[in-house]
Amino acid sequence: MARKLWQPPWGFREGALFVAGIALVGFALQLTVGYFDFYVLHFPANIVALALLVALIATGARWGDAPLLRWFSGMSFAIALIVGLLVLAFYMELTPQAVRPPPPSAGWVARLGFASVTSSWPFVLLYATTLLALGIAVARRLRHATRHDFVFLCNHLGLWILLAAAGFGAADMQRVVMYVREGETEWRVYNKNEEAIQLPLAIELKDFRLEEYPPRLALIDRASNKPQPEARPDYVQIDPTRTRGKLGDWNLVVDEYLHEAVRIDGEFRPSPMPASTPAARVTATNALSGAVKSGWVSGGGNVAGFYAALDLDDKSFLAMTAPEPKRYSSDIVVYPKDGKSVAARLEVNKPLTVAGWTIYQFDYDKDAGKMSTYSAMELVRDPWLFPAQFGMALMALGALLLVWRGAGARRRTP
Amino acid sequence: MSWDDFPFFALPAAALWLVAGVLALRADTPRRRLAVHLPMLVGIALFAAFIALFWTALQRPPLRTMGETRLWYAFFLASAGYLTWLRWRHSWLLLLTAAMAATFAAIDVLRPEIHSIALMPALQSFFFVPHVVIYILAYALFGVATLAALAQIVRLRRDTADTSLFAFMDDAVHVGFGFLALGLLLGAVWAKEAWGHYWSWDPKETLAFITGAAYLVYIHLRAQGRADALAAWALPVAFLLLLLGWLGTALFPGAQGSLHLYS
């Protein structure tokens, strides 16, 4: 006869109902007290909470053979939890997520927690339940571990460490953006209330540099001023290895390309001046009428007088797009409050770590392009990064073993 | 070498794969098996040659746009299907993967993309190529596992479920999940270096979490020893979520601010 609901041993159905129950408690809390404030978990409260969790896990593992705990740390409940988190993540995907939890007046979707799922009680409670159940599963396995448990432990312990470091460390992470003008030194950043905060380090911006890709050519409609065809615009990339292209009925040949040019008496000439702009001399031949047009095309950069388009016919003209950035960098000197100054070139993907702060190339004056007079840098301090990385390293080892051994990496269920 | 030249490589390759897939159905002698190996390998080599030449011409890795990822997907799917056939000899599976790879190649033939050499600074990193390639490799393995799962679902209905087919699905999903996890972890390390945090619940990251969770459900169902319709159905459902994350991220709100939306 089939087992009745809640009749031991419990399985997936009880797990699903239990997870739904936790989510319901979460929604009730959400409606009454509002979004979970991660700031309560800042140091040292997060250490205390983590110690409590570990104590709870150790106790759970000590009595781990009790049917209830076997079920709680077992696979049926794990599947129910994974599905629960999957559903919440799906809500997160479907609802636009607010950067900060919205006020209670923001409507029902927001009040139920969907406007900022990671700060909502259902998510926080399921996350905590995952830490507890996964923790007990790992601890139970550790008590009788053999070498056959190695892959299991890499994957599950690694995930537990990562989730614990990410969850308990969230409140201790600091992220600020600092704007520094060329030739100046800055040590203040502004918070969301526009109040200046002084940092324990100062940054001097010696030089900001920007390199650009060769831009693209586009066929522009005179009436709408939009690139053609409007539904899915076509472009010809200026590429030294490919001088021919086609836009609409026009066959294009790029006769000459100057990456840095200035316009003198209507002609473009190469020049490394800061205000220089890309320019191309193009010959366009109409495939239908045989008409030939030739001349300079340039986006003009920041100088209106450098703009040049090539008139094709009474319907359209040929223009150049704004060039896209290839790389940008800031030559900086960092002065920590106590310690030696560090000079470095900051680039996207090449951050610099000084005195516990990691400094990232973040932004620049997009309108001014390579003439930007300031550089924005993001400064991040994350004291919980090391444990998170340790967890990720364990998971990477576990993943490699999965690739190597396939389903053979799975433990043998008795 | 550009998208203009792609049909000259893709169409013969797709035709060769389909021929190999059909011939595999009757490959019961060494001579007949040779008639599968040859077209499969020539097709894969043609595709690899296009990717290599295209990479050189673009002056950047061809991994930035949707069309470029489809290119790798067709290549990996054909390769994974062929390797699976070498090891497991499921002939129908080779035909199905060949058809799927040909479909993805055909999409790129019908929707050629604009030549662009630009690669935004955020993507100029050591992590770019392994992060994307490993993900697409995982997608290809999950694609093969999904085709096998669909066949298993049909068999379950007829009460003729094949244990060796479940064993194959398990292997493909475990290896695929290993690659998925590696792709995700490489992405996390890269994100820390580029954006300052290893996980931001960016729409694409959220869908990656959803995809990973769906495959974890299958892995745990099977670890419980469940060889039934629920386990078999988990794979097509997970694959739909995967496709949503790969090709459909732009459909979701918040995608405009996504750091993962590159044309």
Side-chain angles (χ1 to χ4, degrees), chain A residues 212-217 237-240 243 253-264 266-273 275-282 295-301 306 308 320-323 370:
Chain A
E212 292 162 333
Y213 281 106
R216 300 184 288 180
L217 297 170
Q237 167 83 58
I238 293 178
D239 178 347
T243 52
V253 179
V254 178
D255 302 311
E256 189 180 358
Y257 173 67
L258 302 173
H259 192 57
E260 292 182 313
V262 293
R263 193 182 205 179
I264 304 166
E267 279 287 309
F268 282 89
R269 294 177 208 286
S271 161
M273 258 174 59
S276 66
T277 174
R281 199 158 48 77
V282 182
W296 285 98
V297 182
S298 172
F306 288 178
M320 186 180 270
T321 61
K370 59 183 181 175

Side-chain angles (χ1 to χ4, degrees), chain A residues 126 204 328:
Chain A
L126 282 185
E204 179 185 2
Y328 47 98

